[in-house]
């Protein structure tokens, strides 16, 4: 590396960095900027604050480790502050006194992240924390940190030695025990486990083999701290053999199949799902977020021992197979969730996988209209079938025995028809993709085939996207049920690739043709007729509802439900469906643009990080990326979200009142050529943006945000 990861210029001892998380992070980011390692203070502080808003980074020992990867960071850097006034980072044992800002370049290599993870692992050691607390100079801090960073990684122990994941020193058992006492009531692990069984297990002298997986969203710090907290706690016990797999950002070695097969129980301490989860199928499992493994490792180990001895303990679902690729993280349904939540997540997974088909297909349809003209849609099949680059069509084309006249001719008409044909092919998959990936989210890979089959049948029977939702859920539940059958070992290898897809497809197909197809088709027809009949106040009311939904959670389940409603009807090509699509897309563009405008108009009402974010949010809004408003909403939801919903409702109402229609499902202002009337679309967006911007400014002005006021006060003092 060109320079040490921490220097004395990056250390602040007994510093007063204010009383809020945002000000502490901003001050630490300032230290990094002042050393020339970050090009912009807010460019570093904002990602770290956003990460903090998702989940506090406080850990046992009154320590906090805000961290992020940022384009503003030029090299991996640690900034440290020993605070004169502790600040609440949501730690398990009170406000944080010691704070490390871990800053990694956005494109940093894995070697950089391995260095950062070493620090995270050292934070579970009492001796290291004591050194940080007792140091009298910045040099002592730098020396202690560099000793940790430069320490050689111990060799991996064999199972008999109880651990693969190690770090120097011993863990602090007191912090884990105290956190366990304070958080046991909020435990998210399996209720069937019995701590008494763990005590009996320990006294019997029998060793329980446990494997664990740890993972956090960024994969920098909590991933490795959880691994070491579990490992070092297990090292002190004679009744456990523990192996840990870290699924973080640095170089991680997966658990061997033989070690997994020999395990008596599994611990999943993750916030982002488990990669290749099917490797653990059938094993008793304890699941929680990654922070619980840091805060109460001993309790989790006791629960794993109890689960290993409980024949009724919850087990990892699915069927183990080494012949197929690993499932996506979206397929890792949490078996500990309630059925309502699991079904909601499955539907959202289906929508997320469907969107690329919709976006690609819809934009290609729009480009087809751009090149070939709007009337080309009436004869695109005949044009693509009967003509070629060497035989271009004229204005008159024979369409099913009838001569039809088209506005354009030659290459433009032919090329437009080809684009339209490709778009239609992509759009024809949307119901099948929705159904297939809903089933995938519930049952993993064995659910994909029956889900796609069910979706295709739904299209054949005119059951539309409602049929796709039903077949996806049915296929996933049936495949999941079949996957739980106890079968002979020789048949087990055939289950995920032959038996489950075959039987689940048969069940779904028979159910659709014999029972569900006709009723679902009738519901879909009624919905389409209702949409086609909308006019006047009823259309405006629908626009208001869709606008509110699009701005409620900015890319979350409610937003996605409105988007699914719009895109599912777009393939029909009727005017009502295109008007709904236009209202949804216009309303979804409002929040980022409005918030960007508000930061320019009243800069003082927003944090420096929000001001920086506002510089690019307008472009995200113009592109129909509602998520551009999430940083604002996450930091100040009670002011931002209602303000955005007000503007979204106005936009949806105006769009529907003016009968604005869109042939494109995505693209925002950049597909204006596919929207008619374009002036009505722009007017609706402008009105919504104005309402949201004025509202959010007014709310922030008359109902001030205390965190922003504190940040402003700190800046004034510094000045």
């Amino acid at each position: 590396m060109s320079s040490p990861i921490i220097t004395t210029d990056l250390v602040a001892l007994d510093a007063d960095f204010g009383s809020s998380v945002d000000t502490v992070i901003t001050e630490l980011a300032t230290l990094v900027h002042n050393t020339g390692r970050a090009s912009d203070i807010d460019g570093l502080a904002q990602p770290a604050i956003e990460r903090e808003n998702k989940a506090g980074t406080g850990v046992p020992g009154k320590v906090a480790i805000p961290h992020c990867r940022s384009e503003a960071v030029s090299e991996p850097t640690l900034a440290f502050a020993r605070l004169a006034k502790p600040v609440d980072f949501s730690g398990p044992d009170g406000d944080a006194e010691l704070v490390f800002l871990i800053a990694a370049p956005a494109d940093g290599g894995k070697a950089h992240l391995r260095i950062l993870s070493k620090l995270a692992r050292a934070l579970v050691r009492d001796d290291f924390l004591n050194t940080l607390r007792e140091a009298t100079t910045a040099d002592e801090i730098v020396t202690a940190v560099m000793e940790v960073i430069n320490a050689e990684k111990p060799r991996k122990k064999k199972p008999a030695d109880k651990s693969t994941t190690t770090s120097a020193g011993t863990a602090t058992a007191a912090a884990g025990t105290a956190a366990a006492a304070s958080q046991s009531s909020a435990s998210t692990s399996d209720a069937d486990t019995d701590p008494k069984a763990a005590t009996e297990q320990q006294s019997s002298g029998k060793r329980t083999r446990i494997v664990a997986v740890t993972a956090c969203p960024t994969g920098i710090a909590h991933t490795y701290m959880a691994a070491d907290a579990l490992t070092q706690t297990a090292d002190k016990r004679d009744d456990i053999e523990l192996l840990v797999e870290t699924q973080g950002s640095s170089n991680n070695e997966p658990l061997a199949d033989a070690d997994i097969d020999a395990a008596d129980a599994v611990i999943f301490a993750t916030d982002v799902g488990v990669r290749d989860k099917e490797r653990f199928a059938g094993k008793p499992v304890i699941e929680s977020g990654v922070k619980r493994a840091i805060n109460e490792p001993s309790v989790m180990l006791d629960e794993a021992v109890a689960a290993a001895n409980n024949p009724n303990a919850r087990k990892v679902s699915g069927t183990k197979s080494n012949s197929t690729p690993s499932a996506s993280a979206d397929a890792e349904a949490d078996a500990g969730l309630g059925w309502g939540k699991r079904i909601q997540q499955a539907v959202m997974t289906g929508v997320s996988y469907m969107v690329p088909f919709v976006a690609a297909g819809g934009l290609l349809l729009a480009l087809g209209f751009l090149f070939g003209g709007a009337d080309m849609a009436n004869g695109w099949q005949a044009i693509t079938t009967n003509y070629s680059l060497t035989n271009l069509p004229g204005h008159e084309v024979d369409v099913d025995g009838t001569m039809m006249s088209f506005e354009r001719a030659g290459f433009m008409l032919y090329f437009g028809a080809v684009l339209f044909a490709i778009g239609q092919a992509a759009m024809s998959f949307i119901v099948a993709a929705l159904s297939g990936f809903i089933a995938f989210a519930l049952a993993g890979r064995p659910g994909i085939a029956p889900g796609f089959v069910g979706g295709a049948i739904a299209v054949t029977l005119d059951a539309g996207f409602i049929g796709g939702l039903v077949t996806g859920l049915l296929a996933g539940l049936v495949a999941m049920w079949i996957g739980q059958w106890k079968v002979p070992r020789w048949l087990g290898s055939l289950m995920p690739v032959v038996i489950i897809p075959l039987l689940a497809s048969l069940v779904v197909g028979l159910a659709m043709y014999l029972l569900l197809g006709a009723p679902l088709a009738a519901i879909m027809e009624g919905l389409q007729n209702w949409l086609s009949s909308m006019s006047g106040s009823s259309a405006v009311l629908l626009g208001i509802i869709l606008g509110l939904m699009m701005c409620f959670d900015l890319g979350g389940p409610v937003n996605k439900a409105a988007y699914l409603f719009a895109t599912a009807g777009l393939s029909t090509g009727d005017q009502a469906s295109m008007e709904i699509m236009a209202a949804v897309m216009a309303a979804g563009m409002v929040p980022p643009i409005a918030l960007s405008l508000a930061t320019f108009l009243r800069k003082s009402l927003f944090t420096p990080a929000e001001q920086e974010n506002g510089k690019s949010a307008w472009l995200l809004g113009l592109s129909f990326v509602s998520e551009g408003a999430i940083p604002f909403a996450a930091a100040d939801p009670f002011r931002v979200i209602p303000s955005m919903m007000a503007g979204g409702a106005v936009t949806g109402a105006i769009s529907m009142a003016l009968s604005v229609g869109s042939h494109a499902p995505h693209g925002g202002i950049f597909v204006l050529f596919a929207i008619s009337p374009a002036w009505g679309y722009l007017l609706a967006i402008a009105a919504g943006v104005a309402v949201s911007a004025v509202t959010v400014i007014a709310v922030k002005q008359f109902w001030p945000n205390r965190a922003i006021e504190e940040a402003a006060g700190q800046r004034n003092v510094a000045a």
Side-chain angles (χ1 to χ4, degrees):
M1 292 178 58
S2 59
S3 56
I5 197 168
I6 185 171
T7 65
T8 54
D9 293 333
L10 294 164
V11 175
L13 296 181
D14 304 319
D16 184 354
F17 280 173
S19 58
S20 73
V21 168
D22 289 10
T23 58
V24 172
I25 292 177
T26 301
E27 292 292 345
L28 287 169
T30 302
L31 293 180
V32 178
H33 176 263
N34 291 343
T35 62
R37 299 180 180 219
S39 59
D40 177 58
I41 295 174
D42 291 338
L44 168 56
Q46 177 64 22
I49 292 171
E50 291 176 7
R51 167 67 184 84
E52 196 71 31
N53 289 333
K54 294 178 182 177
T57 58
V59 297
K62 299 184 181 297
V63 179
I65 49 169
H67 52 276
C68 69
R69 282 179 276 185
S70 170
E71 297 284 354
V73 179
S74 59
E75 56 185 305
T77 300
L78 300 176
F80 171 78
R82 190 170 66 199
L83 301 178
K85 297 178 181 178
V87 174
D88 183 10
F89 278 78
S90 302
D93 50 1
D95 295 350
E97 300 169 347
L98 308 176
V99 182
F100 276 100
L101 174 63
I102 307 177
D107 56 353
K110 291 185 176 181
H112 298 159
L113 295 173
R114 281 197 295 272
I115 292 172
L116 298 176
S117 69
K118 285 185 177 182
L119 170 73
R121 291 179 160 190
L123 294 177
V124 299
R125 292 171 37 198
D126 277 341
D127 59 335
F128 181 65
L129 295 181
N130 289 337
T131 299
L132 299 179
R133 285 192 169 88
E134 296 170 1
T136 57
T137 66
D139 283 323
E140 293 179 47
I141 299 293
V142 171
T143 300
V145 172
M146 293 307 297
E147 285 179 355
V148 168
I149 298 301
N150 295 327
E152 291 293 327
K153 181 181 178 181
R155 292 185 177 181
K156 180 185 292 187
K157 297 182 181 180
K158 296 180 179 180
D161 293 326
K162 298 183 290 184
S163 174
T164 61
T165 311
T166 60
S167 67
T170 59
T172 168
T177 302
S182 63
Q183 298 188 17
S184 59
S185 60
S187 169
T188 59
S189 60
D190 187 62
D192 290 334
T193 58
D194 180 8
K196 181 179 178 181
T199 303
E200 295 173 352
Q201 178 83 5
Q202 188 168 357
S203 61
S204 68
K206 179 182 176 182
R207 295 166 69 87
T208 302
R209 297 178 178 179
I210 302 172
V211 291
V213 176
T214 62
C216 67
T218 58
I220 295 176
H222 287 82
T223 298
Y224 304 99
M225 293 181 69
D228 280 357
L230 289 169
T231 298
Q232 295 175 18
T233 302
D235 281 343
K236 299 179 180 181
R237 297 175 55 161
D238 295 327
D239 62 322
I240 293 175
E241 294 178 0
L242 178 68
L243 301 170
V244 182
E245 175 181 316
T246 53
Q247 295 185 353
S249 298
S250 64
N251 190 23
N252 305 295
E253 183 177 346
L255 290 164
D257 287 342
D259 293 328
I260 297 174
D261 292 339
D264 300 307
V266 179
I267 293 175
F268 291 148
T270 77
D271 293 330
V272 291
V274 178
R275 294 197 297 266
D276 301 325
K277 190 174 183 178
E278 69 278 1
R279 294 175 296 158
F280 305 91
K283 296 291 183 183
V285 62
I286 298 297
E287 295 191 63
S288 78
V290 68
K291 287 188 71 174
R292 184 169 182 250
I294 299 171
N295 296 339
E296 45 185 287
S298 181
V299 174
M300 291 198 71
L301 291 172
D302 283 342
E303 291 171 351
V305 172
N309 291 278
N310 182 1
N312 298 318
R314 181 164 59 85
K315 295 178 173 58
V316 182
S317 61
T319 303
K320 185 172 182 178
S321 172
N322 296 323
S323 60
T324 54
S326 62
S328 164
D330 288 329
E332 306 299 353
D334 184 354
L337 296 175
W339 276 106
K341 184 66 174 179
R342 294 182 66 186
I343 289 174
Q344 175 198 327
Q345 289 185 344
V347 172
M348 290 302 101
T349 297
V351 172
S352 68
Y353 279 99
M354 180 198 76
V355 166
F357 290 91
V358 175
L363 290 172
L364 284 166
L365 293 178
L367 289 172
F369 286 121
L370 177 65
F371 285 94
D375 56 351
M376 172 271 309
N378 299 321
W380 63 272
Q381 289 175 306
I383 295 171
T384 54
T385 301
N386 300 326
Y387 296 91
S388 66
L389 287 174
T390 58
N391 178 31
L392 296 172
H395 288 285
E396 300 290 328
V397 175
D398 184 348
V399 179
D400 297 329
T402 301
M403 294 301 295
M404 295 187 63
S405 178
F406 293 91
E407 177 186 356
R408 297 177 185 173
F411 176 77
M412 294 293 282
L413 178 60
Y414 176 71
F415 186 58
V418 169
L419 292 175
F420 195 88
I422 298 171
Q424 284 283 28
M427 293 293 286
S428 69
F429 281 103
I430 63 175
V431 175
L434 174 68
S435 178
F437 287 106
I438 288 174
F440 169 64
L442 288 170
R445 287 190 300 273
I448 293 179
F452 267 84
V453 169
I457 294 173
V459 174
T460 301
L461 298 179
D462 296 324
F465 82 95
I466 295 178
L469 288 170
V470 172
T471 56
L473 294 171
L474 180 60
L477 294 172
V478 171
M480 182 191 304
W481 172 61
I482 297 174
Q484 294 172 350
W485 291 358
K486 296 185 181 298
V487 298
R489 183 179 295 272
W490 62 269
L491 186 60
S493 61
L494 295 176
M495 290 292 287
V497 294
V498 178
I499 307 300
I500 297 177
L502 170 64
L503 295 180
S505 297
L506 178 62
V507 170
V508 172
L510 291 175
M512 285 296 291
Y513 277 109
L514 301 180
L515 297 173
L516 302 175
L520 292 174
I523 294 173
M524 192 67 190
E525 182 181 4
L527 177 62
Q528 289 173 343
N529 291 338
W530 172 65
L531 293 177
S532 299
S533 66
M534 284 190 317
S535 62
S537 60
S538 62
V540 170
L541 177 60
L542 180 60
I544 291 173
I545 294 172
L546 292 173
L548 291 171
M549 294 176 68
M550 287 300 295
C551 300
F552 175 70
D553 53 1
L554 305 170
V558 177
N559 173 285
K560 287 292 189 293
Y563 186 68
L564 171 62
F565 179 68
T567 56
L570 193 61
S571 59
T572 64
D574 62 276
Q575 180 63 24
S577 296
M578 289 188 288
E579 290 177 9
I580 291 172
M581 187 70 255
V584 163
M585 183 157 63
M589 294 168 62
V590 166
I593 302 175
L595 287 164
S596 180
L597 177 62
T599 60
F600 282 104
L601 294 178
R602 290 299 303 275
K603 184 177 181 181
S604 61
L605 296 177
F606 297 87
T607 66
E610 289 174 329
Q611 295 167 22
E612 187 67 25
N613 195 64
K615 295 177 182 178
S616 60
W618 63 271
L619 181 58
L620 296 175
L622 291 177
S623 305
F624 182 38
V625 180
S626 303
E627 288 82 352
I630 287 179
F632 297 91
D636 195 7
F638 297 110
R639 296 171 182 80
V640 170
I641 291 177
S643 303
M644 298 306 105
M645 292 175 67
V650 169
T651 295
I654 294 176
S655 179
M656 293 294 286
L658 297 178
S659 299
V660 178
S662 173
H663 293 282
H666 214 290
I669 203 72
F670 302 104
V671 292
L672 199 60
F673 60 84
I675 299 172
S676 179
W679 66 266
Y681 187 72
L682 295 175
L683 175 62
I685 294 172
V689 167
V691 169
S692 284
V694 170
T695 304
V696 77
I697 288 173
V699 173
K700 283 178 174 287
Q701 175 70 41
F702 297 109
W703 181 21
N705 186 321
R706 186 174 300 174
I708 295 175
E709 289 184 331
E710 290 179 354
Q714 291 296 325
R715 290 195 299 272
N716 292 336
V717 170

